[in-house]
Amino acid sequence: MQTRLTRELLDTPAGAEADRILRSCTHCGFCLATCPTYQELGDELDSPRGRIYLVKQLLEGSPAGEATRRHLDRCLTCHACEATCPSGVRYTRLADLGRELIERRAPRPPGERILRRLLRMVLPRRRLFAALLVPGRLLRPALPRRLRESVPVRRRPAPRWPAGDAGRSRRVLMLEGCVQPALAPAINPRTARLLQAAGFAVIRTPSAGCCGAIDQHLAAPDAARARARRNIDAWWPKVEAGVDAIVVNASGCGAHLLDYARLLADDPVYRSRAERVATLVREPVELLSDTDLPLAAAAAVPRRIVFQSPCTLQHAMGLGGRIEALLTRLGYELASSPEGHLCCGSAGTYSVLEPALSRRLRARKLGNLLSDAPEAVVTANIGCLNHLAAGSPLPVYHWVELVDPAPAAA
């Protein structure tokens, strides 16, 4: 693709990066077949190719109009287009650059700015979010629909964290996340229990907080980098001491952690540390699939299930099929699901900021997931879990809730 970026932009690292990404696009249109918003809306401007043209025009000096903002806002950042692009176009990065530029050139209306600021203030703060969730559940029936669906009913209680890590030679850190401990408190302790049974000492790092994905996708890259630095500082003494992995059981966070090296590539202090951290990021299945641990199916869980592979798991982390293979080995019967590559519509804050389209995508996803008569839905990301559960007639589980470390496990 030929470009004519303004000299002002070409002289900046971000502008030069955007120019390289634009020039790698060959207009082939492979991305249209895998883009959820294009498949749902049928509008070229709501496809990666269309948005690439919009960002190109923006970078070449065209006015930052409301239409451009609207089409970029509708992007789920699902990475599906990148997974199928034959030219390796880094679309997600280009979309981020376009969002950042339009936020600077054309500030949003006050109401939109306030909502986005509130999301960035509340969601990453684990204790604040948990505290607000209590009255939120009480007031849930009276909340507007877009907020009511984001406030789930209370899920299964959390089991105790396992104790007795002494003597284990392999050690892992765990990112506990910002909203997950409050929304689904059983996931982290069960993950720790599985890893401990597999021979890992699980090290908790309370000072590590939000991964920064919320800030990054809401066009606040400086805040996202600041969160990355804080997490690296929290983990670095253990990393230097030789931990084997940083375990992340929310694939949305895992995908963002893998991007730390790029986010901090221009930081002379944190660049090498970010690169090291990114090499350590693991989804739990990557550790459990390679162990001789006698895993078993959990009690009181339906055996015929359907797995919803989150976009960040299959497209960004490249782990499509791994969890399905493990669950099949444990005796679960996996129902089929068409259009498994398409997003469920959760996408972090997307379900709050784009509620109508998000619900349409969820209805399409649930129609596919339930088409082969499963008894439960299973996923690997807290955002997908919460979003699907709000519309599903079947129970929705995180996959670690379906696994016990031994047949005799309680």
Side-chain angles (χ1 to χ4, degrees), residues 23-163:
R23 288 177 178 273
S24 67
C25 179
T26 62
H27 324 272
C28 68
F30 274 74
C31 55
L32 275 64
T34 58
C35 175
T37 52
Y38 179 74
Q39 291 298 308
E40 189 63 29
L41 301 174
D43 186 339
E44 172 89 12
L45 294 178
D46 284 311
S47 74
R49 185 169 67 180
R51 293 183 181 113
I52 286 173
Y53 275 110
L54 290 174
V55 174
K56 175 179 180 289
Q57 291 172 350
L58 195 64
L59 293 167
E60 290 178 341
S62 296
E66 181 58 34
T68 299
R69 188 206 306 280
R70 181 172 65 254
H71 292 298
L72 287 177
D73 282 350
R74 286 178 181 166
C75 174
L76 294 136
T77 318
C78 70
H79 300 270
C81 56
E82 293 182 350
T84 55
C85 177
S87 303
V89 177
R90 295 171 56 217
Y91 165 80
T92 300
R93 176 58 180 151
L94 186 66
D96 279 347
L97 291 169
R99 290 174 178 135
E100 293 163 22
L101 184 59
I102 201 169
E103 291 292 327
R104 292 196 301 269
R105 287 186 181 177
R108 294 177 181 273
E112 292 185 21
R113 293 203 304 271
I114 291 171
L115 176 57
R116 288 168 177 261
R117 182 64 177 170
L118 284 173
L119 290 171
R120 290 183 48 231
M121 287 177 59
V122 174
L123 296 182
R125 291 171 169 81
R126 188 183 306 159
R127 292 181 181 177
L128 176 59
F129 177 80
L132 292 175
L133 189 60
V134 175
R137 282 183 167 133
L138 294 175
L139 298 172
R140 189 175 185 272
L143 293 174
R145 183 178 180 183
R146 74 159 71 177
L147 295 178
R148 183 170 65 249
E149 290 191 349
S150 299
V151 180
V153 296
R154 189 175 299 277
R155 286 182 58 83
R156 292 166 286 280
R160 291 183 179 180
W161 276 78

Side-chain angles (χ1 to χ4, degrees), residues 318-362:
L319 296 175
R322 294 288 295 273
I323 294 172
E324 298 94 316
L326 177 60
L327 294 175
T328 300
R329 178 160 64 88
L330 296 182
Y332 288 100
E333 179 186 357
L334 266 67
S336 62
S337 176
E339 297 186 328
H341 61 285
L342 292 184
C343 182
C344 70
S346 171
T349 59
Y350 192 92
S351 59
V352 176
L353 298 173
E354 299 289 335
L357 185 52
S358 177
R359 286 194 294 268
R360 287 176 60 175
L361 291 166
R362 181 178 63 194

